[in-house]
Amino acid sequence: MFTKMKKTLLGSTLGLLATLVVSLWTPSVQAETYTPEQKQQIEELKKTYPLTTCPVSGEKLDGDMGPAIDYLYTAKGTDGKETTRLVRFCCPSCLRKFKKDPAPTLKVLDDAAAKKGGAAAPTPSAMDGMKGV
């Protein structure tokens, strides 16, 4: 009986440990869930996106870090209208940093667009009520 209890306790402990390890390795930033219209908007915005690297870390997008994370950032402009722009990241960690303080990253995008001769300016939002989360 004692041996059976030890096996059960060992199995429970290992199961708990495995759950803890997986939860620590799982990024806390979940991928955004977008509607088909939003996914189409992302594909359109990718065509004029000014960077091939992550605006936070400088790592190559779709490189060693895996597929890029596409994020639709929505904010109110100075005119009070909502605008949406695409921001692409190399990993969940960079997305978390962006969400804490978007201004430096948006400046990197604007500077890159100015150098490229394009526009990374926000576009009027077709997604009323959607906020960058």
Side-chain angles (χ1 to χ4, degrees), residues 107-129:
K107 180 172 179 2
V108 169
L109 282 173
D110 290 339
D111 291 348
K115 284 181 184 176
K116 196 172 183 179
T123 58
S125 177
M127 300 169 285
D128 293 331

mmCIF file of all heavy atoms in Angstrom, residues 107-129:
data_model
loop_
_atom_site.group_PDB
_atom_site.id
_atom_site.type_symbol
_atom_site.label_atom_id
_atom_site.label_comp_id
_atom_site.label_asym_id
_atom_site.label_seq_id
_atom_site.Cartn_x
_atom_site.Cartn_y
_atom_site.Cartn_z
ATOM 1 N N LYS A 107 7.182 55.720 -33.567
ATOM 2 C CA LYS A 107 8.168 56.642 -34.130
ATOM 3 C C LYS A 107 9.130 55.896 -35.051
ATOM 4 O O LYS A 107 9.471 56.393 -36.135
ATOM 5 C CB LYS A 107 8.943 57.361 -33.023
ATOM 6 C CG LYS A 107 9.971 58.334 -33.589
ATOM 7 C CD LYS A 107 10.597 59.181 -32.537
ATOM 8 C CE LYS A 107 11.647 60.145 -33.007
ATOM 9 N NZ LYS A 107 11.972 60.243 -34.395
ATOM 10 N N VAL A 108 9.558 54.694 -34.662
ATOM 11 C CA VAL A 108 10.428 53.882 -35.523
ATOM 12 C C VAL A 108 9.734 53.612 -36.853
ATOM 13 O O VAL A 108 10.340 53.730 -37.923
ATOM 14 C CB VAL A 108 10.818 52.551 -34.827
ATOM 15 C CG1 VAL A 108 11.481 51.588 -35.791
ATOM 16 C CG2 VAL A 108 11.734 52.826 -33.630
ATOM 17 N N LEU A 109 8.454 53.275 -36.796
ATOM 18 C CA LEU A 109 7.691 53.018 -38.020
ATOM 19 C C LEU A 109 7.573 54.272 -38.886
ATOM 20 O O LEU A 109 7.757 54.211 -40.104
ATOM 21 C CB LEU A 109 6.287 52.508 -37.687
ATOM 22 C CG LEU A 109 6.172 51.059 -37.286
ATOM 23 C CD1 LEU A 109 4.753 50.753 -36.834
ATOM 24 C CD2 LEU A 109 6.575 50.153 -38.421
ATOM 25 N N ASP A 110 7.267 55.392 -38.258
ATOM 26 C CA ASP A 110 7.129 56.645 -39.007
ATOM 27 C C ASP A 110 8.453 57.043 -39.657
ATOM 28 O O ASP A 110 8.483 57.475 -40.815
ATOM 29 C CB ASP A 110 6.627 57.766 -38.094
ATOM 30 C CG ASP A 110 5.178 57.564 -37.672
ATOM 31 O OD1 ASP A 110 4.444 56.827 -38.364
ATOM 32 O OD2 ASP A 110 4.784 58.136 -36.640
ATOM 33 N N ASP A 111 9.558 56.899 -38.925
ATOM 34 C CA ASP A 111 10.883 57.226 -39.472
ATOM 35 C C ASP A 111 11.226 56.313 -40.650
ATOM 36 O O ASP A 111 11.745 56.765 -41.670
ATOM 37 C CB ASP A 111 11.964 57.127 -38.395
ATOM 38 C CG ASP A 111 11.837 58.215 -37.331
ATOM 39 O OD1 ASP A 111 11.063 59.178 -37.532
ATOM 40 O OD2 ASP A 111 12.516 58.090 -36.288
ATOM 41 N N ALA A 112 10.921 55.028 -40.517
ATOM 42 C CA ALA A 112 11.204 54.069 -41.598
ATOM 43 C C ALA A 112 10.370 54.400 -42.831
ATOM 44 O O ALA A 112 10.864 54.317 -43.956
ATOM 45 C CB ALA A 112 10.927 52.649 -41.132
ATOM 46 N N ALA A 113 9.116 54.771 -42.631
ATOM 47 C CA ALA A 113 8.244 55.118 -43.755
ATOM 48 C C ALA A 113 8.749 56.374 -44.451
ATOM 49 O O ALA A 113 8.724 56.459 -45.683
ATOM 50 C CB ALA A 113 6.816 55.314 -43.267
ATOM 51 N N ALA A 114 9.221 57.347 -43.671
ATOM 52 C CA ALA A 114 9.736 58.589 -44.257
ATOM 53 C C ALA A 114 10.976 58.303 -45.103
ATOM 54 O O ALA A 114 11.129 58.851 -46.191
ATOM 55 C CB ALA A 114 10.058 59.592 -43.151
ATOM 56 N N LYS A 115 11.855 57.426 -44.617
ATOM 57 C CA LYS A 115 13.070 57.067 -45.374
ATOM 58 C C LYS A 115 12.716 56.311 -46.646
ATOM 59 O O LYS A 115 13.362 56.471 -47.675
ATOM 60 C CB LYS A 115 14.003 56.210 -44.525
ATOM 61 C CG LYS A 115 14.758 56.976 -43.481
ATOM 62 C CD LYS A 115 15.678 56.067 -42.706
ATOM 63 C CE LYS A 115 16.360 56.820 -41.579
ATOM 64 N NZ LYS A 115 17.193 55.944 -40.747
ATOM 65 N N LYS A 116 11.700 55.474 -46.548
ATOM 66 C CA LYS A 116 11.295 54.649 -47.686
ATOM 67 C C LYS A 116 10.488 55.454 -48.697
ATOM 68 O O LYS A 116 10.279 55.023 -49.823
ATOM 69 C CB LYS A 116 10.487 53.452 -47.170
ATOM 70 C CG LYS A 116 10.318 52.336 -48.155
ATOM 71 C CD LYS A 116 9.672 51.137 -47.487
ATOM 72 C CE LYS A 116 9.577 49.993 -48.465
ATOM 73 N NZ LYS A 116 8.976 48.800 -47.874
ATOM 74 N N GLY A 117 10.012 56.621 -48.270
ATOM 75 C CA GLY A 117 9.213 57.453 -49.163
ATOM 76 C C GLY A 117 7.754 57.059 -49.168
ATOM 77 O O GLY A 117 6.973 57.534 -49.971
ATOM 78 N N GLY A 118 7.389 56.178 -48.268
ATOM 79 C CA GLY A 118 5.995 55.737 -48.190
ATOM 80 C C GLY A 118 5.322 56.381 -47.007
ATOM 81 O O GLY A 118 5.796 57.366 -46.463
ATOM 82 N N ALA A 119 4.227 55.816 -46.644
ATOM 83 C CA ALA A 119 3.499 56.345 -45.496
ATOM 84 C C ALA A 119 3.151 55.216 -44.550
ATOM 85 O O ALA A 119 2.581 54.227 -44.958
ATOM 86 C CB ALA A 119 2.231 57.034 -45.960
ATOM 87 N N ALA A 120 3.537 55.377 -43.320
ATOM 88 C CA ALA A 120 3.130 54.428 -42.285
ATOM 89 C C ALA A 120 2.068 55.079 -41.433
ATOM 90 O O ALA A 120 1.781 54.655 -40.347
ATOM 91 C CB ALA A 120 4.326 54.034 -41.424
ATOM 92 N N ALA A 121 1.519 56.159 -41.976
ATOM 93 C CA ALA A 121 0.523 56.900 -41.224
ATOM 94 C C ALA A 121 -0.693 56.028 -40.970
ATOM 95 O O ALA A 121 -1.013 55.144 -41.756
ATOM 96 C CB ALA A 121 0.121 58.151 -42.001
ATOM 97 N N PRO A 122 -1.362 56.299 -39.878
ATOM 98 C CA PRO A 122 -2.569 55.534 -39.577
ATOM 99 C C PRO A 122 -3.620 55.719 -40.654
ATOM 100 O O PRO A 122 -3.650 56.747 -41.320
ATOM 101 C CB PRO A 122 -3.047 56.146 -38.255
ATOM 102 C CG PRO A 122 -1.908 56.921 -37.718
ATOM 103 C CD PRO A 122 -1.037 57.279 -38.889
ATOM 104 N N THR A 123 -4.438 54.723 -40.817
ATOM 105 C CA THR A 123 -5.541 54.797 -41.760
ATOM 106 C C THR A 123 -6.835 54.883 -40.974
ATOM 107 O O THR A 123 -6.923 54.352 -39.879
ATOM 108 C CB THR A 123 -5.590 53.554 -42.665
ATOM 109 O OG1 THR A 123 -5.706 52.405 -41.832
ATOM 110 C CG2 THR A 123 -4.340 53.440 -43.504
ATOM 111 N N PRO A 124 -7.835 55.573 -41.508
ATOM 112 C CA PRO A 124 -9.106 55.638 -40.777
ATOM 113 C C PRO A 124 -9.603 54.231 -40.474
ATOM 114 O O PRO A 124 -9.521 53.330 -41.317
ATOM 115 C CB PRO A 124 -10.038 56.365 -41.757
ATOM 116 C CG PRO A 124 -9.124 57.162 -42.614
ATOM 117 C CD PRO A 124 -7.878 56.335 -42.749
ATOM 118 N N SER A 125 -10.107 54.054 -39.300
ATOM 119 C CA SER A 125 -10.528 52.739 -38.864
ATOM 120 C C SER A 125 -11.895 52.392 -39.409
ATOM 121 O O SER A 125 -12.826 53.161 -39.306
ATOM 122 C CB SER A 125 -10.559 52.680 -37.334
ATOM 123 O OG SER A 125 -11.033 51.429 -36.932
ATOM 124 N N ALA A 126 -11.977 51.194 -39.951
ATOM 125 C CA ALA A 126 -13.271 50.671 -40.381
ATOM 126 C C ALA A 126 -13.851 49.808 -39.278
ATOM 127 O O ALA A 126 -14.845 49.149 -39.440
ATOM 128 C CB ALA A 126 -13.091 49.841 -41.650
ATOM 129 N N MET A 127 -13.137 49.807 -38.137
ATOM 130 C CA MET A 127 -13.529 48.928 -37.032
ATOM 131 C C MET A 127 -13.952 49.783 -35.848
ATOM 132 O O MET A 127 -13.243 49.859 -34.854
ATOM 133 C CB MET A 127 -12.373 48.022 -36.652
ATOM 134 C CG MET A 127 -11.927 47.144 -37.781
ATOM 135 S SD MET A 127 -10.396 46.326 -37.424
ATOM 136 C CE MET A 127 -9.238 47.667 -37.632
ATOM 137 N N ASP A 128 -15.061 50.444 -35.950
ATOM 138 C CA ASP A 128 -15.540 51.287 -34.856
ATOM 139 C C ASP A 128 -15.631 50.476 -33.581
ATOM 140 O O ASP A 128 -16.103 49.362 -33.587
ATOM 141 C CB ASP A 128 -16.913 51.874 -35.200
ATOM 142 C CG ASP A 128 -16.830 52.856 -36.335
ATOM 143 O OD1 ASP A 128 -15.780 53.495 -36.502
ATOM 144 O OD2 ASP A 128 -17.837 52.988 -37.054
ATOM 145 N N GLY A 129 -15.138 51.051 -32.519
ATOM 146 C CA GLY A 129 -15.204 50.392 -31.232
ATOM 147 C C GLY A 129 -14.049 49.473 -30.938
ATOM 148 O O GLY A 129 -13.866 49.054 -29.817
#
